[in-house]
Amino acid sequence: MGLPFILLNYKTYLQGTGQGAVEIAKACKEVSEGSGIEIAVAPQLPDIYRVASEVEIPVFSQHLDGIGAGSFTGHVFGKAIKEAGAIGTLINHSERRLTLAEIEASLKAAKEFGLKTVICTNNVPTTAAAAALGPDYVAIEPPELIGSGIPVSKADPEVVSGSVEAVAKIDPAVKVLCGAGISKGEDLRAALDLGSQGVLLASGIVKAADPKAALEELISLI
């Protein structure tokens, strides 16, 4: 298997807001260039343009609505995030849940503008259902472990390996990311050993005193 894909979700952490979003992206870029591992970032919506303009790094949106141009005040329009510099988007994060119909609409909107898609799921059945929609990635994240510091790869390895197996049967082109509680090198190593092709993580890096050092520790066992 090749090198993993790492997607860093800034959420609305203060450390990843405004200029902080740029500084964390710079740290990600340095570690990516030094290791050859692809690292992407998902800053808050108002920071997408800032980060994409100042740092040469893949930028994802944290959310996308399944709407087009028109009377949709307060929604997130695919063309807007694409023009801001995003190359992809998260869909259905556990902190921004969507119905199945909304997930399908968001996925369609993302594909219309050539955006990569990561559908977040919380168990094997929802992962299988998400894979059937044909996203680029599914990210398995049991919500009770998000931000806990307890990696899903240790707390519930079967949900990772089961998701990998389910996705392979439905659409082998869809890649599986492992999320929830990932912060250390052993967590990433375990996630990869369970068959995932990368990780979706947040607080362990964004809130670290030294994000670059935290990233270097994360990839230390690759």
Side-chain angles (χ1 to χ4, degrees):
M1 189 179 72
L3 294 173
F5 172 57
I6 297 172
L7 177 53
L8 182 60
N9 179 13
Y10 289 14
K11 302 194 175 185
T12 60
Y13 293 131
L14 185 61
Q15 297 90 334
T17 301
Q19 186 57 33
V22 174
E23 297 308 316
I24 292 174
K26 288 179 178 177
C28 291
K29 176 178 169 60
E30 289 179 23
V31 174
S32 177
E33 289 180 339
S35 64
I37 294 172
E38 183 180 9
I39 302 176
V41 297
Q44 295 170 62
L45 292 169
D47 289 324
I48 289 176
Y49 181 78
R50 181 198 299 252
V51 172
S53 298
E54 296 189 34
V55 188
E56 191 174 341
I57 191 170
V59 178
F60 280 62
S61 175
Q62 294 181 13
H63 173 70
L64 173 66
D65 288 305
I67 53 94
S71 303
F72 298 102
T73 301
H75 289 72
V76 182
F77 180 29
K79 182 174 177 59
I81 62 169
K82 178 70 176 289
E83 292 287 336
I87 61 101
T89 185
L90 297 178
I91 296 172
N92 193 49
H93 190 275
S94 66
E95 295 158 358
R96 189 64 173 84
R97 288 278 181 83
L98 301 175
T99 65
L100 179 59
E102 289 170 334
I103 292 171
E104 290 186 280
S106 292
L107 185 67
K108 181 180 179 181
K111 289 184 175 181
E112 179 182 352
F113 294 104
L115 295 164
K116 292 184 179 296
T117 50
V118 180
I119 298 181
C120 299
T121 62
N122 59 5
N123 55 42
V124 175
T126 58
T127 301
L133 299 176
D136 295 291
Y137 298 90
V138 291
I140 176 68
E141 289 192 306
E144 66 274 13
L145 297 176
I146 293 176
S148 68
I150 304 171
V152 62
S153 52
K154 287 186 177 180
D156 194 358
E158 290 79 13
V159 76
V160 181
S161 57
S163 292
V164 169
E165 292 171 8
V167 170
K169 291 177 182 177
I170 293 168
D171 187 348
V174 177
K175 298 175 182 178
V176 179
L177 302 180
C178 178
I182 304 293
S183 62
K184 303 183 185 305
E186 61 184 320
D187 304 336
L188 174 55
R189 182 69 266 166
L192 298 178
D193 289 344
L194 288 168
S196 72
Q197 290 153 305
V199 291
L200 172 63
L201 72 167
S203 60
I205 305 299
V206 179
K207 297 177 72 176
D210 185 340
K212 182 181 177 183
L215 280 166
E216 290 172 336
E217 201 285 327
L218 178 72
I219 65 169
S220 61
L221 299 181
I222 303 305

